[in-house]
Amino acid sequence: LVRTVLGMWRSGWSPMTLAKLGLGNMMMRGYVSRRFADVDWIPKDLLQAYLYQNWSGGRNSGGGYAHSTLLVPGGLGELAYARQPLVDRIPRLRVGRISAIYGEFDWMDHRNMKALKTSLLKRKAEAGLEAPLIEVIRVASASHQIPIDNPLGFAEAVLDSCNDADAAHGTTVGGSRGAIGRLVPGYPETLAAAPETLIKARCSAPPER
């Protein structure tokens, strides 16, 4: 069965196919109840509806496209690989900077992006080749669904990236020792509190820089 599923995935099929056959709500209900069992601040029914539409809405849903077109089954310790790896594509991008934000417990390995950053800096120093500046930021107490696992930590990562890219690289934000932790006592344990209370505390605080 596993071999059949992986073979279908490589051929362009995805779980979204089952969702379109009428199993989507059941699949999403099970996923949300297990994956976000400890997340109390978000309405589970709305999250389920959002994910279901992402998986199954339209002829070619966003989730379906990403899963079957952009990814292939991974190997040992990796859930999935890119069909066209970023390590080959990023050096050709004509942009000044790339911010890569990972969850502390993300199934995607942040060390791969750090290794690419080191490689590009070496190429730039030795051959004078232009390449984007890469910054890698991790969000504490989060897995792959960062805005849900630690919403204010994700906001902190984005703000740090916008305010000071060099200082933000290699940091882990959104924990009890970060800017959010200093503004909201007990964070991230207080994620179970009303989100508007946490957001108000974050937005009303004076800027640090």
Side-chain angles (χ1 to χ4, degrees):
L1 178 61
V2 173
R3 183 176 298 178
T4 299
V5 170
L6 294 180
M8 293 175 66
W9 182 354
R10 293 188 183 95
S11 300
W13 293 70
S14 80
M16 290 71 180
T17 304
L18 295 178
K20 290 178 180 294
L21 295 177
L23 301 177
N25 276 314
M26 181 184 68
M27 295 167 63
M28 281 297 96
R29 189 179 304 111
Y31 171 73
V32 169
S33 63
R34 292 190 300 270
R35 171 63 177 79
F36 304 105
D38 298 328
V39 179
D40 297 326
W41 69 270
I42 192 169
K44 299 293 199 311
D45 56 339
L46 296 181
L47 178 59
Q48 175 187 327
Y50 166 78
L51 292 175
Y52 174 72
Q53 289 301 321
N54 178 266
W55 275 45
S56 61
R59 292 184 57 189
N60 192 13
S61 65
Y65 179 85
H67 188 278
S68 62
T69 307
L70 305 182
L71 303 174
V72 293
L76 184 63
E78 295 279 1
L79 178 63
Y81 294 142
R83 292 185 185 271
Q84 299 181 35
L86 288 176
V87 68
D88 301 325
R89 301 162 60 193
I90 284 179
R92 300 195 298 268
L93 295 178
R94 296 295 181 262
V95 297
R97 180 160 57 94
I98 294 174
S99 301
I101 300 177
Y102 296 83
E104 183 180 9
F105 308 110
D106 209 315
W107 63 265
M108 297 181 68
D109 195 338
H110 71 283
R111 292 173 296 185
N112 294 331
M113 190 64 80
K114 283 189 173 182
L116 177 58
K117 176 185 176 71
T118 301
S119 174
L120 292 181
L121 289 175
K122 183 178 180 181
R123 289 174 53 184
K124 186 174 182 178
E126 295 178 351
L129 298 177
E130 291 297 326
L133 172 67
I134 297 175
E135 60 179 2
V136 179
I137 306 174
R138 300 174 72 197
V139 176
S141 304
S143 186
H144 191 61
Q145 302 281 2
I146 305 173
I148 299 175
D149 293 329
N150 190 342
L152 295 187
F154 176 71
E156 183 178 345
V158 173
L159 290 173
D160 281 1
S161 173
C162 295
N163 292 335
D164 194 340
D166 293 334
H169 174 68
T171 60
T172 299
V173 301
S176 58
R177 297 182 181 179
I180 297 296
R182 293 193 294 272
L183 293 171
V184 184
Y187 189 85
E189 288 75 12
T190 49
L191 271 175
E196 60 269 19
T197 302
L198 301 181
I199 294 172
K200 181 178 180 181
R202 179 67 178 94
C203 296
S204 62
E208 296 189 350
R209 289 190 265 274

